[in-house]
Amino acid sequence: MTTQKYFPYVNDKMFAEKVDLNDIAKQVGTPFYCYSNTAIRQNFQAYQQAFSTQDTLICYAVKANGNQAVLSTLAKMGSGADVVSMGEILRARAAGIPANKIVYSGVAKIESEIEYALSEGIFQFNVESEPELELISQVASRLNKIAAVAFRINPDVCANTHAKISTGKSENKFGVPISKARIAYKQAASLPNIKVQGVDVHIGSQLTQLAPFEEAYKRIAQLVVDLRADGHDISVIDIGGGLGITYRDEVIPSTQEYAAIAQVQLGHLGCKIVVEPGRSLLGNAGILVSSVVFVKTGEER
């Protein structure tokens, strides 16, 4: 996945689709960001087609790029949103994304943000910890609302990506350890105004191999079986995002291969699948255009 397809050079001039970037620069000045509507649409359609045989909600990870035109383009295609703040909910709603297609992730949800999300009627909270769950219950009870939740589960799986964007190992701060998941769900079921509906997993970003996804989904599938045996009505599995893009020479699995892993490992459970692509939707869809102002000769360069 590179930008060359959507931002080609023609006779030494760079174009955005079929528009000369020099013409845009003359109108708006530099620097500016330029996005390809076609790239965004085709990337999103690849996910739609790959997951077409599964009951799937595609929620764009707003943290990847919160540009309002980007969000509006995705909203028109039926995308939901994976958000990590009240500000991102506001942006998603302003772009036309329905509240019932918004999943609220993030590690530090505060009371006012939870209150706003509940008032909007979002699809699901992806809960990071037991204290967060208790706060959601308190706010929902005060508002007389029902909060649909899934715990983000840390499956202790190595994502084989950069250490700073690997989030699924036991030493990472994110989520509830899979070894403690059944205890956490038991607590959730005992709290007022909480609807336990799902399980969430996200093991990292810029993954270039399918094996980590496969291992994580195997562990989540067994957890769903165990949770159902405990009496929980699990109907949603959020498989996160994380499929990488090509920066130099990385070979990236296709969305079809990615979806097939989810189908094989999770399809028999009959759950709605939530997938949260970010980088893989926008990574090749935009460029930053600037101008050379001066050329300075230094001592060594």
Side-chain angles (χ1 to χ4, degrees):
M1 177 186 286
T2 66
T3 60
Q4 296 175 359
K5 179 178 179 180
Y6 304 106
F7 300 93
Y9 280 96
V10 180
N11 296 326
D12 293 328
K13 292 184 178 181
M14 193 176 193
F15 284 72
E17 298 179 12
K18 295 182 180 180
V19 179
D20 189 337
L21 288 171
N22 286 299
D23 293 339
I24 300 176
K26 290 174 184 177
Q27 293 184 41
V28 304
T30 60
F32 65 90
Y33 288 102
C34 181
Y35 300 99
S36 166
N37 185 280
T38 299
I40 296 169
R41 292 178 63 85
Q42 289 185 357
N43 291 339
F44 187 81
Q45 286 169 346
Y47 275 92
Q48 286 181 313
Q49 293 165 5
F51 283 89
S52 61
T53 62
Q54 304 177 57
D55 180 11
T56 307
L57 173 60
I58 302 172
C59 290
Y60 167 62
V62 177
K63 62 180 174 287
N65 187 319
N67 179 284
Q68 211 62 23
V70 167
L71 295 177
S72 296
T73 296
L74 290 165
K76 291 172 185 175
M77 298 192 69
S79 178
D82 165 46
V83 304
V84 297
S85 69
M86 179 175 167
E88 289 189 356
I89 299 175
L90 287 163
R91 295 187 74 87
R93 297 291 288 120
I97 295 175
N100 63 4
K101 288 186 175 182
I102 293 178
V103 172
Y104 192 176
S105 305
V107 299
K109 306 175 185 71
I110 62 175
E111 186 170 350
S112 59
E113 294 180 310
I114 294 168
E115 182 173 332
Y116 178 71
L118 285 167
S119 68
E120 285 290 285
I122 66 166
F123 176 71
Q124 178 173 286
F125 289 90
N126 285 344
V127 179
E128 282 278 349
S129 66
E130 293 87 341
E132 179 189 305
L133 173 71
E134 293 174 1
L135 180 58
I136 293 172
S137 174
Q138 293 168 13
V139 176
S141 297
R142 175 166 54 80
L143 298 177
N144 196 28
K145 300 279 188 181
I146 300 297
V149 303
F151 274 104
R152 178 173 177 175
I153 300 302
N154 186 320
D156 194 21
V157 170
C158 181
N160 295 330
T161 186
H162 191 282
K164 299 301 182 183
I165 50 176
S166 179
T167 61
K169 285 288 289 177
S170 59
E171 63 263 28
N172 299 133
K173 68 180 180 182
F174 298 96
V176 174
I178 195 166
S179 61
K180 298 181 179 179
R182 296 173 78 172
I183 297 172
Y185 275 89
K186 182 178 180 180
Q187 178 189 3
S190 71
L191 292 175
N193 295 74
I194 293 292
K195 175 189 176 185
V196 176
Q197 74 174 22
V199 174
D200 169 43
V201 64
H202 177 68
I203 59 173
S205 300
Q206 185 55 16
L207 272 72
T208 59
Q209 302 170 27
L210 291 174
F213 289 120
E214 184 174 25
E215 182 58 33
Y217 299 164
K218 283 181 181 178
R219 298 186 185 189
I220 291 302
Q222 183 58 53
L223 176 61
V224 171
V225 171
D226 293 340
L227 291 174
R228 286 176 171 175
D230 291 342
H232 303 292
D233 184 14
I234 304 298
S235 60
V236 176
I237 301 175
D238 187 330
I239 64 172
L243 194 61
I245 62 174
T246 299
Y247 287 97
R248 294 180 177 86
D249 56 2
E250 300 94 334
V251 177
I252 308 298
S254 68
T255 51
Q256 289 87 353
E257 293 170 316
Y258 177 53
I261 291 292
Q263 176 64 41
V264 170
Q265 300 302 327
L266 305 171
H268 63 286
L269 297 168
C271 290
K272 176 185 285 291
I273 300 297
V274 178
V275 58
E276 302 167 347
R279 184 192 313 251
S280 55
L281 291 184
L282 265 293
N284 71 335
I287 56 173
L288 172 62
V289 180
S290 61
S291 301
V292 176
V293 180
F294 301 108
V295 177
K296 176 183 176 181
T297 302
E299 182 70 22
E300 296 182 3
R301 55 187 301 176

